[in-house]
Amino acid sequence: MSKKKSRRDFIVIASYSMGAVGAGAAIWPIINQMNPAADTLAMASTEVNIGALEIGQALTVKWRGKPVFIRRRTENEINESRQVDINSLRDPQADEERVQKDEWLVVMGVCTHLGCVPLGQKTGDGKGDYGGWFCPCHGSHYDISGRIRKGPAPENLEVPPYSFISDNVIKIG
Amino acid sequence: MKSSIPNSQFKNPVINWIDTRLPIFTAMNEAVGTEHPTPKNLNYWWNFGSLAGVTLVIMIITGIALAMNYTAHVDHAFDSVERIMRDVNGGWLIRYIHMNGASFFFIVVYIHMARSLYYGSYKAPRELLWILGVVIYLLMMATAFLGYTLPWGQMSFWGATVITNFFSVIPFVGEPIVNWLLGGYTVDNPTLNRFYALHYLLPFVIAGVILLHIVALHRFGSNNPLGIDIKSDKDMIPFHPYYTIKDFFGLSVFLAIFCVFVFFLPNFLGHPDNYVPADPLSTPAHIVPEWYLSPFYAILRAVPDKLLGVLAMFGAIGILFILPWLDRSPVRSAHYRPMYRVFYVIFIVNMLALGYLGVQNPEGIYILLGRACTAWYFIHFLVIMPLLNIIETPKALPKSVSDPIFSSGSSSLSPAASRKSK
Ligand code: HEM
Ligand code: FES
């Protein structure tokens, strides 16, 4: 290749590249405007009074637009979820890692498959084969620790960040 | 007039004046007029292309009328649709046409696609024509999904949630992509707004792709029920008036059936839960897609793994793009392919079964059947289609489109053929 030609090639490639970079820079704001806006990102936290919940009862609250399941578990339910062989689980996690106080389970009420809200919070709801929650959309079964046991969902119900402000109040977020 | 201007040949002087300067009338004539030669043996299955075009026009007109009364805000969307139904003059009619029009659009396009499958219209040299058709089909599914979100009922909300979550299977960037699509962490007001903007846009993109589809069609002309190439002028008749009148007849039958649904069964094809306002805290016990997406939903649910399920679902549509290269048989029409003909019928039955299974609860025998039908869907395309070319002996093809008419002893030529051969 002659020297002259390769210099010409360089100029052509360089100007195409600059053009591509410029076009990309111009398109980016159009793409980026679709990302969550500042007000959506400013996620508020929610304080929930759980004092009124009896043992065995459940409560659903809304946080970041999504449902959070709070369940005051019975002695039996706690024991049951601790006897499971962790290695047999699809998403292995001990119940102890998923709670701050044994009685209280706090998980996102969002199926990790495709985002439906599982049934099992209300009395009369089907709770699935493992006594926790059942997602009606494509048939995922969760146990009483919110762990995935059967069906297409890949992961356990997510535990949101939360803390006990007092014995009766938790702050989510 | 200066004689140096090359004049068009229309009788009407106004049309002639315009066409000389802007040859739109010539273009129309070559597209759907007397200057567009068409195989003379097209049957009624060839009506559905023009029907699809008419349906798109109906959707755009009623859509724009709805847009004049619709409010894209989570607090008002449901009520604004109810207002369209109760208070806007003739609003119920416009909405029912738009709602059922979407279903009928899919019926027409599914028949149009089934026609192509039977007569091998996707084969060389019409591969790109077929691929553009699959692109239109994809855009239609996107448009219908976006539109279904707008009335903001329970099915709108949860359909949008489930479908946008498909993208969460993408490794590493899945979550950010879903949040980008939604404009937040859940389906909410930003989602509704952008879905509305895109629902308005996509039908016009479809119109653009249809234009390309037609350009590709006119490159080699229509296929025909015998699937053989056109040999001479004797095989052709002009599109106008022969096929224009045939298409108009088909259109009136179509509109009659359509009106039965719009006026007497307007909610037959829909789901009652979408008349319940969206509730982000509770999923309806049976969430089902609209019937036209149901076969793919059945495929999604047949696979007990999230990633593989989503891949199978997109793969089921993706496979249509490479169909022209999966089917190696040089014979187009199933008429001359005794084995493919049988497998074609099985395929259609299997497709209907998938559609049925997609709206059933994923329990017991339905899970098993769903898996069997899903497996067959892929076997049909990936195993049967390539295999048939090896094991099947096609029947003898006629020499030309005119040939079977002459050799069957009947001399009843179509008026056009006799006129042309004079
Ligand atoms: C490819 C063509 C189109 C398809 C398949 C389609 C499909 C749909 C569907 C399935 C719905 C939900 C109907 C319901 O359940 O209420 C809908 C709603 C709507 N569409 Fe379309 N549409 C198309 C074109 C358009 C166009 C071009 C516009 C506007 C210019 C439009 C505007 C609307 C509006 C405002 C609604 C909300 C009102 C309602 O839900 O009835 N559509 N569309
Ligand atoms: S969304 Fe829960 S099983 Fe699919």
Side-chain angles (χ1 to χ4, degrees):
Chain A
M1 220 189 271
S2 75
K3 202 178 171 189
K4 215 171 186 178
K5 194 172 182 197
S6 66
R7 184 192 286 173
R8 172 65 56 192
D9 286 349
F10 174 79
I11 292 171
V12 169
I13 293 170
S15 35
Y16 274 129
S17 312
M18 275 320 288
V21 169
I27 288 169
W28 174 244
I30 306 293
I31 307 278
N32 192 33
Q33 57 84 19
M34 283 177 66
N35 272 317
D39 62 336
T40 315
L41 283 173
M43 45 171 184
S45 54
T46 313
E47 288 186 15
V48 189
N49 193 327
I50 53 174
L53 274 189
E54 301 283 339
I55 288 179
Q57 281 187 330
L59 178 71
T60 307
V61 296
K62 198 169 164 183
W63 173 66
R64 272 180 165 193
K66 293 183 187 177
V68 178
F69 292 167
I70 304 173
R71 184 125 150 195
R72 187 168 181 192
R73 303 185 296 178
T74 65
E75 202 67 39
N76 272 345
E77 289 173 337
I78 299 168
N79 289 336
E80 196 185 303
S81 46
R82 302 210 162 165
Q83 275 155 14
V84 178
D85 174 15
I86 293 173
N87 295 320
S88 71
L89 297 174
R90 181 177 303 167
D91 181 7
Q93 210 177 15
D95 183 60
E96 288 88 338
E97 297 170 46
R98 296 178 52 77
V99 293
Q100 293 180 13
K101 293 187 181 177
D102 292 353
E103 246 182 23
W104 296 97
L105 179 75
V106 181
V107 289
M108 297 303 299
V110 178
C111 182
T112 58
H113 183 223
L114 296 173
C116 291
V117 179
L119 298 170
Q121 284 294 88
K122 298 199 201 88
T123 41
D125 277 359
K127 293 185 178 359
D129 293 355
Y130 296 86
W133 291 269
F134 170 68
C135 182
C137 289
H138 319 92
S140 288
H141 300 252
Y142 296 91
D143 68 12
I144 195 62
S145 186
R147 292 173 298 201
I148 178 67
R149 302 298 288 273
K150 188 176 155 191
E155 284 161 30
N156 302 333
L157 293 180
E158 187 191 341
V159 178
Y162 68 96
S163 55
F164 281 86
I165 292 182
S166 70
D167 277 351
N168 286 339
V169 179
I170 60 172
K171 181 174 162 223
I172 305 173
Chain B
M1 272 276 164
K2 276 167 256 137
S3 57
S4 61
I5 302 177
N7 250 308
S8 291
Q9 299 301 322
F10 290 90
K11 286 205 190 78
N12 183 316
V14 179
I15 289 184
N16 217 37
W17 188 90
I18 295 174
D19 196 77
T20 303
R21 287 151 184 84
L22 177 73
I24 44 170
F25 295 100
T26 301
M28 267 166 60
N29 222 4
E30 282 167 6
V32 290
T34 48
E35 294 306 314
H36 176 41
T38 316
K40 66 184 181 186
N41 60 336
L42 300 187
N43 57 28
Y44 272 107
W45 298 112
W46 264 261
N47 273 39
F48 289 86
S50 73
L51 274 185
V54 172
T55 317
L56 178 69
V57 173
I58 293 176
M59 294 308 286
I60 289 180
I61 293 173
T62 51
I64 290 172
L66 285 172
M68 294 180 184
N69 297 287
Y70 172 77
T71 312
H73 187 283
V74 289
D75 294 337
H76 306 293
F78 188 88
D79 293 343
S80 76
V81 173
E82 283 309 303
R83 182 177 161 273
I84 290 173
M85 293 301 289
R86 295 159 201 236
D87 298 336
V88 174
N89 301 322
W92 62 272
L93 177 62
I94 293 165
R95 174 161 183 252
Y96 278 158
I97 293 176
H98 198 76
M99 224 168 102
N100 288 281
S103 276
F104 274 73
F105 199 2
F106 278 93
I107 293 176
V108 166
V109 165
Y110 278 135
I111 296 176
H112 189 63
M113 293 168 81
R115 187 281 319 261
S116 308
L117 287 180
Y118 188 82
Y119 295 111
S121 302
Y122 50 84
K123 292 188 195 189
R126 297 188 182 81
E127 302 97 323
L128 267 182
L129 176 58
W130 164 260
I131 287 173
L132 286 167
V134 181
V135 170
I136 294 170
Y137 174 52
L138 271 175
L139 288 169
M140 275 175 65
M141 291 199 282
T143 309
F145 156 66
L146 295 167
Y148 195 60
T149 309
L150 303 183
W152 210 243
Q154 272 289 66
M155 285 296 167
S156 300
F157 185 90
W158 292 104
T161 300
V162 166
I163 291 182
T164 47
N165 264 302
F166 288 162
F167 297 93
S168 70
V169 300
I170 302 171
F172 308 116
V173 290
E175 278 308 310
I177 286 183
V178 172
N179 293 343
W180 174 73
L181 286 171
L182 298 178
Y185 301 107
T186 51
V187 174
D188 208 334
N189 203 47
T191 322
L192 178 59
N193 266 297
R194 62 189 57 188
F195 277 21
Y196 183 41
L198 294 174
H199 183 67
Y200 210 130
L201 167 72
L202 285 193
F204 297 94
V205 176
I206 293 178
V209 182
I210 288 176
L211 227 78
L212 296 180
H213 192 67
I214 291 175
V215 172
L217 170 69
H218 286 179
R219 184 72 180 81
F220 297 102
S222 297
N223 184 25
N224 65 78
L226 302 179
I228 55 175
D229 289 330
I230 295 302
K231 300 280 154 49
S232 68
D233 275 358
K234 267 193 194 164
D235 296 345
M236 313 282 261
I237 48 176
F239 191 87
H240 181 75
Y242 298 106
Y243 287 112
T244 37
I245 200 71
K246 189 169 179 173
D247 278 353
F248 267 111
F249 176 71
L251 177 63
S252 28
V253 174
F254 169 79
L255 288 178
I257 301 172
F258 183 47
C259 284
V260 170
F261 275 82
V262 168
F263 290 102
F264 298 103
L265 303 160
N267 291 304
F268 180 78
L269 295 164
H271 197 289
D273 272 357
N274 220 28
Y275 285 101
V276 179
D279 176 0
L281 294 188
S282 106
T283 310
H286 304 293
I287 88 156
V288 290
E290 291 285 87
W291 69 266
Y292 40 79
L293 303 178
S294 182
F296 300 102
Y297 196 63
I299 291 175
L300 168 79
R301 293 197 306 193
V303 185
D305 178 88
K306 179 171 168 175
L307 176 62
L308 295 180
V310 174
L311 285 180
M313 189 194 62
F314 282 116
I317 300 165
I319 221 168
L320 297 175
F321 282 105
I322 55 166
L323 174 60
W325 294 275
L326 292 173
D327 180 354
R328 313 290 314 191
S329 170
V331 177
R332 292 198 192 100
S333 175
H335 204 74
Y336 299 102
R337 301 184 60 193
M339 291 174 95
Y340 174 63
R341 211 172 170 182
V342 175
F343 283 111
Y344 175 84
V345 174
I346 298 175
F347 173 77
I348 297 291
V349 172
N350 189 59
M351 211 58 205
L352 295 174
L354 279 172
Y356 171 77
L357 292 166
V359 294
Q360 302 305 314
N361 262 354
E363 290 166 352
I365 181 77
Y366 291 128
I367 298 186
L368 222 68
L369 284 173
R371 291 192 182 148
C373 292
T374 300
W376 185 259
Y377 182 93
F378 287 101
I379 291 172
H380 176 87
F381 283 115
L382 296 176
V383 180
I384 306 285
M385 289 298 239
L387 197 65
L388 278 184
N389 183 36
I390 303 168
I391 58 174
E392 179 183 61
T393 321
K395 293 193 212 160
L397 294 173
K399 283 195 201 66
S400 76
V401 165
S402 311
D403 190 42
I405 304 174
F406 292 124
S407 57
S408 68
S410 132
S411 60
S412 60
L413 287 175
S414 65
S418 52
R419 200 190 58 183
K420 277 231 151 182
S421 58
K422 255 181 229 162

